[in-house]
Amino acid sequence: MHGEMAAMDMPLLPMWLRTVWIVGLCAVVVVHVGHLVALSGQHRAWHAGHTVMATGMALMYLLPRMQHPELYRAGLVLFALVALAQAVTTVALRAREGAVNPLWLLSTVDMLAMVYMLLPPATRPDWLNWVFVVYLACQAVAYGLGTWDRLPVFTSRAPTSVAAGAATAAPEHTRDHEHTVTPLTAEPAPDPAAGPVVGLVAHSSLGVRVTLAVMAASMAYMLAVM
């Protein structure tokens, strides 16, 4: 516990830097709240999860554990429940859509990282701290570069058993699908000629990618200074 308090006062986490992280995370909240209000379905639920995550991170930078232990205990319960809900959602959507959606899977792991950060310091081994630091740093880079947008699961695929005529028409359908479905604004329409299409599509919006990168970086940095 004393180590946690010392971490908040150490040179790697001065007040000005904590303030920068808090302001950045508040911007993340604003962006994702706007999306969850405007959208529906899986998109709304996904943005709601990231809104809760960014809010939790901002509070962790603002309010040290030593002065607010009850807040951290409540946060542990909250994020454990959210992580469980997202894990169930990931499995349920895999059964319904026929493919694991990387966005839900990664969001679930991110929530588990939040749960880990909220555990009492004595229960967190240093080696696992650095596993999460490396994972979150990679997440920040991947989100910033739009790496997840290019995964095959976010494109429609024609099944191998279709007739030759249908197979010939598939590329045209794919081009239409890519132009008519806007990422994070609409659920892709089901098409019997297409393979598995997940309901939550990749986030090509620069604003969303930047906010996700900021949030992952804020989590990695806090774990590193702990």
Side-chain angles (χ1 to χ4, degrees):
M1 298 292 278
H2 292 292
E4 183 90 6
M5 185 61 182
M8 283 305 198
D9 298 325
M10 66 190 300
L12 289 176
L13 197 55
M15 179 56 71
W16 71 266
L17 185 52
R18 289 170 58 188
T19 302
V20 169
W21 281 121
I22 292 167
V23 171
L25 288 162
C26 287
V28 174
V29 171
V30 170
V31 170
H32 285 272
V33 165
H35 282 288
L36 75 87
V37 169
L39 305 179
S40 60
Q42 290 188 45
H43 298 97
R44 174 172 289 176
W46 189 79
H47 282 289
H50 284 87
T51 299
V52 173
M53 191 184 304
T55 302
M57 282 304 306
L59 289 174
M60 290 175 71
Y61 273 106
L62 180 64
L63 305 172
R65 183 190 296 265
M66 285 293 289
Q67 281 77 30
H68 306 276
E70 69 290 342
L71 180 63
Y72 281 72
R73 285 193 291 268
L76 177 60
V77 174
L78 171 64
F79 280 97
L81 291 174
V82 174
L84 177 61
Q86 291 201 336
V88 171
T89 298
T90 302
V91 173
L93 290 174
R94 164 64 179 84
R96 190 181 78 182
E97 298 174 343
V100 174
N101 191 326
L103 296 183
W104 279 115
L105 179 60
L106 292 168
S107 184
T108 300
V109 178
D110 293 347
M111 285 294 177
L112 291 174
M114 288 293 298
V115 172
Y116 177 77
M117 294 171 70
L118 289 162
L119 289 171
T123 66
R124 300 196 305 258
D126 286 343
W127 69 267
L128 191 50
N129 267 23
W130 290 107
V131 168
F132 275 115
V133 168
V134 172
Y135 162 77
L136 291 165
C138 291
Q139 275 280 71
V141 173
Y143 281 134
L145 296 178
T147 301
W148 305 132
D149 298 14
R150 296 187 286 272
L151 293 179
V153 73
F154 297 123
T155 62
S156 59
R157 302 189 298 275
T160 56
S161 59
V162 296
T168 303
E172 184 64 32
H173 162 74
T174 301
R175 287 194 294 272
D176 291 343
H177 175 81
E178 289 170 353
H179 283 91
T180 55
V181 176
T182 302
L184 294 180
T185 58
E187 300 279 353
D191 190 321
V197 177
V198 294
L200 175 68
V201 291
H203 37 72
S204 63
S205 163
L206 177 61
V208 173
R209 293 207 313 267
V210 169
T211 61
L212 293 172
V214 168
M215 185 153 55
S218 74
M219 295 168 70
Y221 191 82
M222 178 168 282
L223 276 170
V225 300
M226 285 179 177

